[in-house]
Amino acid sequence: MLKRLLITGAGGNLGMIARKRLSHLAETVRATDVVGLTPISQNEECVQCDLGDAGDVERLVEGCDGIVHLGGKSVEGTFSVVAEANIHGVFHLYEAARKNGCGRIFFASSNHVVGLYKQDQHLDTTAPPRPDTLYGVSKHFGEGLAQMYYHRFGIETAIVRIGSCFPKPTNHRMLATWLSYDDFVSLVERVFAVPRLGCPVIYGMSNNDERWWDNREVAYLGWRPKDNAADYREEIEATYPRPAKDAPVAVFQGGVFVSEPIHEED
Ligand code: NAI
Ligand code: 15L
């Protein structure tokens, strides 16, 4: 069991799931976000912190032996906004981990690191990145940082390219990209249970019939996602119109993100 698990982005969608369902992983959970939080379990402490502030992040990580890093900009934005949380912020976090001797991190990367591959291409965990947005590029930066801190300083990271982690799949693309909350939780559990993690790339998807991504390289983790987006196929077909075959959302793995304009600074 971990002594103290830090959960960043703890006020967000996945942060709330992690806090509700993963508090058994550590004696103490330190939940943090740029917005103020109130403890939701007996072993939880809350710290308000902007990942953009190096000194605050160093203090935040003190005493933590594991991190679930979910905090940051989770969609496209201007470069300055994306960079503050996802480039400066992730650097501050790894530096703080190095200085405080924190050895293991779950890093919420994103499928948008490979969003400009087409939906008929099958990728394994060694596929070269092809980001679709500044957001995707920022996650690629985080992945690179994780590799450097592993090979130089031995900090292990699960680089998880999360697909679409929501209560249920709600469009045709999610038949391939959906990651259920249960499977997200079981993945975090595996990441902190395995004796040797290393620094693998993992595609964060459920056991979907439709799939573009191949996790065979990380079979050693013993993660067995159980849910299947195909269980919702009928509901999706009945509720959401199928996009035209040549629409970017139906062509590229990144879906609507590939049509985002560059968000110019004000
Ligand atoms: P979210 O947007 O609901 O939560 C992100 C949290 O980070 C928010 O509570 C926000 O206040 C916090 N945050 C933003 N900037 C911050 C800063 N400068 N300092 C401290 N905290 C800051 O996102 P969600 O859906 O919970 O996703 C969690 C992570 O997983 C994100 O990093 C996202 O990029 C990644 N991800 C999520 C996917 C999904 O389907 N939910 C898919 C792929 C990646
Ligand atoms: C992401 O990276 C986003 O954080 C999330 O909100 C979804 O849009 C997801 O990708 C997706 O591709 O469905």
Side-chain angles (χ1 to χ4, degrees), residues 127-149:
R130 204 179 280 180
D132 56 23
T133 41
L134 299 175
Y135 165 67
V137 172
S138 75
K139 291 292 185 180
H140 181 213
F141 174 83
E143 294 188 357
L145 211 57
Q147 293 289 353
M148 185 189 95
Y149 277 83

Short mmCIF file of all heavy atoms in Angstrom, two decimals, residues 127-149:
data_model
loop_
_atom_site.label_atom_id
_atom_site.label_comp_id
_atom_site.label_asym_id
_atom_site.label_seq_id
_atom_site.Cartn_x
_atom_site.Cartn_y
_atom_site.Cartn_z
N ALA A 127 3.83 3.19 -32.17
CA ALA A 127 3.52 4.06 -33.33
C ALA A 127 4.04 5.47 -33.08
O ALA A 127 3.83 6.02 -31.99
CB ALA A 127 2.01 4.09 -33.55
N PRO A 128 4.72 6.07 -34.05
CA PRO A 128 5.18 7.45 -33.86
C PRO A 128 4.00 8.40 -33.66
O PRO A 128 2.96 8.23 -34.31
CB PRO A 128 5.90 7.77 -35.17
CG PRO A 128 6.16 6.48 -35.83
CD PRO A 128 5.09 5.53 -35.36
N PRO A 129 4.13 9.36 -32.76
CA PRO A 129 3.04 10.30 -32.51
C PRO A 129 2.61 11.06 -33.77
O PRO A 129 3.42 11.30 -34.65
CB PRO A 129 3.64 11.26 -31.49
CG PRO A 129 4.70 10.48 -30.82
CD PRO A 129 5.26 9.57 -31.87
N ARG A 130 1.35 11.40 -33.82
CA ARG A 130 0.81 12.24 -34.89
C ARG A 130 -0.31 13.08 -34.28
O ARG A 130 -1.50 12.86 -34.54
CB ARG A 130 0.29 11.34 -36.02
CG ARG A 130 0.27 12.02 -37.36
CD ARG A 130 -0.22 11.09 -38.44
NE ARG A 130 0.79 10.18 -38.94
CZ ARG A 130 0.55 9.28 -39.91
NH1 ARG A 130 -0.65 9.19 -40.45
NH2 ARG A 130 1.51 8.48 -40.33
N PRO A 131 0.08 14.06 -33.45
CA PRO A 131 -0.91 14.81 -32.67
C PRO A 131 -1.84 15.62 -33.56
O PRO A 131 -1.45 16.06 -34.64
CB PRO A 131 -0.08 15.74 -31.79
CG PRO A 131 1.33 15.29 -31.92
CD PRO A 131 1.45 14.51 -33.18
N ASP A 132 -3.07 15.83 -33.07
CA ASP A 132 -4.07 16.53 -33.88
C ASP A 132 -4.30 17.96 -33.45
O ASP A 132 -5.02 18.70 -34.13
CB ASP A 132 -5.39 15.74 -33.89
CG ASP A 132 -5.95 15.46 -32.49
OD1 ASP A 132 -5.60 16.19 -31.53
OD2 ASP A 132 -6.73 14.50 -32.36
N THR A 133 -3.76 18.36 -32.32
CA THR A 133 -4.05 19.68 -31.74
C THR A 133 -2.85 20.13 -30.90
O THR A 133 -1.96 19.32 -30.60
CB THR A 133 -5.25 19.57 -30.76
OG1 THR A 133 -5.09 18.35 -30.00
CG2 THR A 133 -6.58 19.57 -31.44
N LEU A 134 -2.86 21.38 -30.47
CA LEU A 134 -1.83 21.84 -29.53
C LEU A 134 -1.95 21.02 -28.24
O LEU A 134 -0.96 20.69 -27.58
CB LEU A 134 -2.00 23.33 -29.22
CG LEU A 134 -1.87 24.27 -30.42
CD1 LEU A 134 -2.19 25.71 -30.00
CD2 LEU A 134 -0.47 24.18 -31.01
N TYR A 135 -3.18 20.70 -27.89
CA TYR A 135 -3.44 19.84 -26.73
C TYR A 135 -2.74 18.48 -26.90
O TYR A 135 -2.03 18.01 -25.99
CB TYR A 135 -4.96 19.67 -26.59
CG TYR A 135 -5.40 18.55 -25.69
CD1 TYR A 135 -5.16 18.59 -24.32
CD2 TYR A 135 -6.09 17.43 -26.21
CE1 TYR A 135 -5.58 17.54 -23.50
CE2 TYR A 135 -6.50 16.40 -25.40
CZ TYR A 135 -6.24 16.45 -24.04
OH TYR A 135 -6.65 15.43 -23.23
N GLY A 136 -2.90 17.87 -28.07
CA GLY A 136 -2.24 16.58 -28.35
C GLY A 136 -0.72 16.72 -28.29
O GLY A 136 -0.02 15.85 -27.75
N VAL A 137 -0.21 17.83 -28.81
CA VAL A 137 1.24 18.07 -28.76
C VAL A 137 1.70 18.20 -27.30
O VAL A 137 2.75 17.68 -26.92
CB VAL A 137 1.60 19.34 -29.56
CG1 VAL A 137 3.07 19.71 -29.37
CG2 VAL A 137 1.31 19.15 -31.05
N SER A 138 0.89 18.87 -26.49
CA SER A 138 1.28 19.05 -25.08
C SER A 138 1.33 17.70 -24.36
O SER A 138 2.19 17.47 -23.51
CB SER A 138 0.33 20.02 -24.37
OG SER A 138 -0.93 19.39 -24.08
N LYS A 139 0.42 16.79 -24.71
CA LYS A 139 0.44 15.46 -24.09
C LYS A 139 1.67 14.68 -24.57
O LYS A 139 2.27 13.92 -23.81
CB LYS A 139 -0.84 14.69 -24.41
CG LYS A 139 -2.09 15.26 -23.74
CD LYS A 139 -2.04 15.07 -22.22
CE LYS A 139 -3.32 15.53 -21.54
NZ LYS A 139 -3.31 15.35 -20.09
N HIS A 140 2.04 14.90 -25.83
CA HIS A 140 3.25 14.25 -26.35
C HIS A 140 4.48 14.75 -25.59
O HIS A 140 5.39 13.98 -25.26
CB HIS A 140 3.39 14.54 -27.85
CG HIS A 140 4.59 13.90 -28.48
ND1 HIS A 140 5.28 14.48 -29.51
CD2 HIS A 140 5.23 12.75 -28.20
CE1 HIS A 140 6.29 13.70 -29.85
NE2 HIS A 140 6.28 12.64 -29.07
N PHE A 141 4.49 16.03 -25.26
CA PHE A 141 5.59 16.58 -24.44
C PHE A 141 5.64 15.85 -23.10
O PHE A 141 6.71 15.42 -22.64
CB PHE A 141 5.38 18.08 -24.21
CG PHE A 141 6.38 18.67 -23.26
CD1 PHE A 141 7.64 19.05 -23.70
CD2 PHE A 141 6.07 18.83 -21.92
CE1 PHE A 141 8.58 19.57 -22.81
CE2 PHE A 141 7.00 19.35 -21.02
CZ PHE A 141 8.26 19.72 -21.47
N GLY A 142 4.49 15.67 -22.49
CA GLY A 142 4.44 14.97 -21.19
C GLY A 142 4.96 13.54 -21.31
O GLY A 142 5.67 13.05 -20.42
N GLU A 143 4.64 12.89 -22.42
CA GLU A 143 5.12 11.51 -22.64
C GLU A 143 6.65 11.50 -22.74
O GLU A 143 7.32 10.61 -22.19
CB GLU A 143 4.52 10.92 -23.91
CG GLU A 143 3.01 10.72 -23.84
CD GLU A 143 2.46 9.95 -25.05
OE1 GLU A 143 3.24 9.61 -25.97
OE2 GLU A 143 1.23 9.67 -25.05
N GLY A 144 7.20 12.48 -23.44
CA GLY A 144 8.66 12.58 -23.59
C GLY A 144 9.33 12.81 -22.24
O GLY A 144 10.36 12.23 -21.91
N LEU A 145 8.71 13.68 -21.46
CA LEU A 145 9.25 13.99 -20.13
C LEU A 145 9.26 12.72 -19.27
O LEU A 145 10.23 12.43 -18.57
CB LEU A 145 8.34 15.04 -19.50
CG LEU A 145 8.93 16.04 -18.54
CD1 LEU A 145 10.06 16.83 -19.17
CD2 LEU A 145 7.83 16.99 -18.08
N ALA A 146 8.17 11.97 -19.35
CA ALA A 146 8.07 10.73 -18.57
C ALA A 146 9.21 9.78 -18.95
O ALA A 146 9.85 9.17 -18.08
CB ALA A 146 6.72 10.06 -18.82
N GLN A 147 9.49 9.68 -20.24
CA GLN A 147 10.58 8.80 -20.70
C GLN A 147 11.92 9.29 -20.16
O GLN A 147 12.74 8.49 -19.68
CB GLN A 147 10.64 8.78 -22.25
CG GLN A 147 9.45 8.13 -22.92
CD GLN A 147 9.41 6.62 -22.75
OE1 GLN A 147 10.34 6.02 -22.23
NE2 GLN A 147 8.31 6.00 -23.17
N MET A 148 12.13 10.59 -20.21
CA MET A 148 13.42 11.10 -19.73
C MET A 148 13.59 10.85 -18.23
O MET A 148 14.64 10.40 -17.77
CB MET A 148 13.54 12.60 -20.00
CG MET A 148 14.93 13.13 -19.63
SD MET A 148 15.03 14.91 -19.70
CE MET A 148 14.70 15.35 -18.02
N TYR A 149 12.53 11.09 -17.47
CA TYR A 149 12.66 10.91 -16.01
C TYR A 149 12.75 9.44 -15.64
O TYR A 149 13.28 9.11 -14.58
CB TYR A 149 11.51 11.62 -15.28
CG TYR A 149 11.81 13.09 -15.09
CD1 TYR A 149 11.56 14.00 -16.11
CD2 TYR A 149 12.39 13.56 -13.92
CE1 TYR A 149 11.87 15.34 -15.96
CE2 TYR A 149 12.70 14.90 -13.76
CZ TYR A 149 12.43 15.78 -14.79
OH TYR A 149 12.76 17.11 -14.65
#
